Amino acid sequence: MHLLLVLIALIVVNSNVNKRTIEKVFLSLFYSSLLSVTILIVNAAIKFFKGQGVHDIVFHGFTEIYDQHPVYYAIILSLALFFVFLYGKIIPSKIKNIGIIILIIGIVFCASKAVLFVNAVAYVLFFLFKFKSLKTKLTLLLVLVFTVGMVYNIPFINHRFVDGLRFHENILEFKPTNSFPDKKLFNYEEKDAISDLELRYIMAKMGVYHLIEDGKVLTGYGEGDVQDYLDYYYYSYNLAPNWNEGRNIHNQYLHILITYGILTLLLFICYLIYSFYIAIRNRDVLHIFFLALLAFVFIFEVILVRNKGIILFYFFNTLFLIKSIYIENSNLRHQRNS
């Protein structure tokens, strides 16, 4: 896995990358995403007419035939969609308009709360800054609000936002401890009622506490041992077996901390800050959107533990950095010299 990070950077850096190459990459992303998500929508429609339930059609059920995590896939579709809004002039208008609708449907069916939220915020800002006409801004914002309202009122999406973000007072009172007589032991009813957000809170609080108590802040538990430590603590609070064993901590930043230690986490944060700096300096809106989307999703998901997530993040971010550093900077130098 670690070698893959280096290989991705070396391959992209040593490729003959220019503006036309990058344009082809994102056009390929758009057309391939359009084709793949159309297949998934047709598959979902077939499931629906066969009488299968909502859980078989959306979220994991939507992307299962590709063996793809719905959050990863929603990120890919979101990047393709935002590319269309920024550079749609190079795509035939009919294909572009149909493609926008199909990609939006795909993102909704992926049902990732974090991805849907970032998309909603991003398009509000995009419409406000992109168009000068107040009438155009208001029209597009009304369309966006109407679309968000329709999506939110889809029962499964509403359930994921309302139930998934529920937070009970007893969860706030949860305190990790090494004293077994004082440990909170979750019963069946409590485990069954824990929301997605509550579970992430428990995992984060538990992981950080025991990392400090075990004296592993500098080095972490190590990639080979981190899951064993997590599973042990899940068992100690009765969050396992048959519930959470094998689950990561569901926060990319905390995962790096408990796996590799504080220094590696600081390096990763510096890498993100540098990437944001380059994107903002060069006003690369697509790069800013990509980074903001991933940085937010990292709060709720551990993406950089699977090859699919590693390739998604490091390939595109390396491509963006090359575009910003070598292509856009060289154009600026050329303009100054002229």
Side-chain angles (χ1 to χ4, degrees):
M1 184 182 76
H2 299 294
L3 180 60
L4 181 61
L5 306 182
V6 179
L7 286 175
I8 291 171
L10 288 175
I11 290 169
V12 177
V13 169
N14 288 283
S15 300
N16 184 21
V17 177
N18 52 47
K19 284 187 176 181
R20 182 57 184 163
T21 304
I22 293 172
E23 183 180 285
K24 287 181 178 179
V25 168
F26 282 102
L27 277 173
S28 299
L29 175 69
F30 166 69
Y31 284 113
S32 60
S33 297
L34 186 57
L35 175 61
S36 67
V37 77
T38 300
I39 294 171
L40 292 184
I41 292 171
V42 171
N43 182 60
I46 293 171
K47 287 182 177 181
F48 175 78
F49 286 116
K50 285 184 176 180
Q52 295 189 35
V54 176
H55 290 275
D56 298 313
I57 296 173
V58 299
F59 202 45
H60 287 291
F62 182 61
T63 58
E64 66 178 353
I65 65 172
Y66 292 155
D67 190 28
Q68 176 68 283
H69 195 288
V71 176
Y72 298 10
Y73 193 64
I75 293 170
I76 294 170
L77 298 184
S78 298
L79 185 60
L81 181 63
F82 208 72
F83 166 76
V84 174
F85 275 100
L86 288 173
Y87 304 103
K89 292 181 180 179
I90 62 177
I91 302 170
S93 59
K94 288 184 178 179
I95 296 176
K96 180 183 71 173
N97 294 333
I98 294 172
I100 288 173
I101 296 171
I102 291 175
L103 289 174
I104 290 174
I105 293 172
I107 294 170
V108 171
F109 272 53
C110 286
S112 167
K113 296 187 290 291
V115 174
L116 287 169
F117 174 77
V118 173
N119 272 279
V121 173
Y123 285 105
V124 168
L125 296 175
F126 176 73
F127 293 149
L128 287 175
F129 289 103
K130 177 71 174 178
F131 301 99
K132 295 181 180 180
S133 169
L134 180 61
K135 182 179 179 180
T136 304
K137 288 181 181 181
L138 290 175
T139 301
L140 291 171
L141 286 174
L142 285 172
V143 171
L144 180 62
V145 169
F146 178 74
T147 303
V148 170
M150 286 184 61
V151 170
Y152 182 76
N153 282 289
I154 296 173
F156 185 81
I157 300 293
N158 181 272
H159 172 77
R160 281 185 57 77
F161 271 92
V162 175
D163 187 65
L165 298 177
R166 188 183 67 250
F167 216 101
H168 292 108
E169 186 176 346
N170 68 306
I171 300 298
L172 282 172
E173 295 172 353
F174 169 72
K175 292 182 179 180
T177 178
N178 280 326
S179 172
F180 276 87
D182 298 327
K183 276 184 181 284
K184 163 67 177 174
L185 297 179
F186 290 88
N187 58 39
Y188 177 87
E189 289 75 16
E190 288 175 323
K191 287 184 287 188
D192 190 51
I194 291 175
S195 70
D196 292 343
L197 187 61
E198 289 172 335
L199 183 60
R200 283 161 170 78
Y201 174 80
I202 293 169
M203 288 177 169
K205 203 167 183 179
M206 181 194 73
V208 172
Y209 172 83
H210 288 292
L211 182 77
I212 295 171
E213 289 296 308
D214 293 340
K216 298 287 187 179
V217 174
L218 284 177
T219 61
Y221 292 118
E223 189 174 341
D225 296 328
V226 64
Q227 193 59 56
D228 290 336
Y229 275 94
L230 287 176
D231 286 344
Y232 168 75
Y233 290 121
Y234 294 155
Y235 276 92
S236 73
Y237 295 99
N238 202 34
L239 290 167
N242 303 321
W243 288 87
N244 298 296
E245 66 273 20
R247 284 195 176 194
N248 59 52
I249 205 163
H250 279 70
N251 182 301
Q252 185 65 61
Y253 307 106
L254 289 181
H255 174 80
I256 293 173
L257 175 63
I258 67 172
T259 305
Y260 306 111
I262 187 68
L263 295 179
T264 304
L265 174 61
L266 291 175
L267 285 173
F268 180 71
I269 292 174
C270 287
Y271 173 73
L272 279 179
I273 292 173
Y274 174 73
S275 299
F276 268 110
Y277 166 73
I278 293 295
I280 294 170
R281 188 188 67 179
N282 290 286
R283 298 180 183 178
D284 191 335
V285 179
L286 189 60
H287 191 190
I288 295 171
F289 171 76
F290 175 77
L291 288 171
L293 179 58
L294 267 297
F296 188 74
V297 170
F298 283 161
I299 299 173
F300 306 101
E301 299 289 341
V302 178
I303 289 179
L304 305 179
V305 292
R306 300 181 180 91
N307 288 345
K308 295 174 184 177
I310 292 169
I311 293 171
L312 168 63
F313 177 64
Y314 286 105
F315 170 78
F316 278 107
N317 198 50
T318 304
L319 191 67
F320 279 124
L321 289 174
I322 290 174
K323 172 178 177 287
S324 298
I325 296 171
Y326 293 106
I327 298 175
E328 295 187 2
N329 282 358
S330 64
N331 289 340
L332 290 173
R333 288 195 298 270
H334 178 74
Q335 291 173 4
R336 285 196 295 267
N337 292 335
S338 62

